[in-house]
Amino acid sequence: MSRPTSTESKFRAVAHSTRRGVIDLLLRREYSAGELAEHFKHTRPVLSRHLRILEAVGLVMFQRRGNRLMYRLAPGAFDALHRWIGRLPKGNSTR
């Protein structure tokens, strides 16, 4: 099996509801990992795994501030996804 393309990896990453929830929060502002954890019922290690996946495919980035990791959406990270989704017909129409 071949390795997924960058765009395919991003689609796979956003397929999980927890990761979409993280993205929804990061649309508003930066969050520390601890602040993000407050919004989910997962353990911190589970949430850390989701954050690592989002970071690995280039959707989020983090910056260390003292002993905290501050997460934010990566600039332009969703451009390829928007381009592909933009080609889809709206509503129930089929070309």
Side-chain angles (χ1 to χ4, degrees), residues 74-94:
F78 294 87
D79 291 351
L81 301 179
H82 282 286
R83 280 192 301 275
W84 189 86
I85 290 170
R87 296 185 336 215
L88 297 175
K90 294 183 180 182
N92 291 330
S93 64
T94 59

Side-chain angles (χ1 to χ4, degrees), residues 14 16-28 31 36 39-40 47 54:
V14 299
H16 195 283
S17 62
T18 297
R19 293 191 286 268
R20 287 193 310 273
V22 168
I23 291 166
D24 286 341
L25 289 169
L26 294 176
L27 285 167
R28 296 183 216 150
Y31 283 86
L36 286 168
H39 293 272
F40 299 94
L47 185 62
L54 291 170

Side-chain angles (χ1 to χ4, degrees), residues 30-33 55 60-72:
E30 290 183 345
Y31 283 86
S32 69
E55 194 268 333
V60 302
M61 55 193 308
F62 66 89
Q63 181 178 18
R64 183 171 292 282
R65 292 197 192 132
N67 63 349
R68 298 168 68 180
L69 295 178
M70 298 301 294
Y71 288 87
R72 67 176 183 258

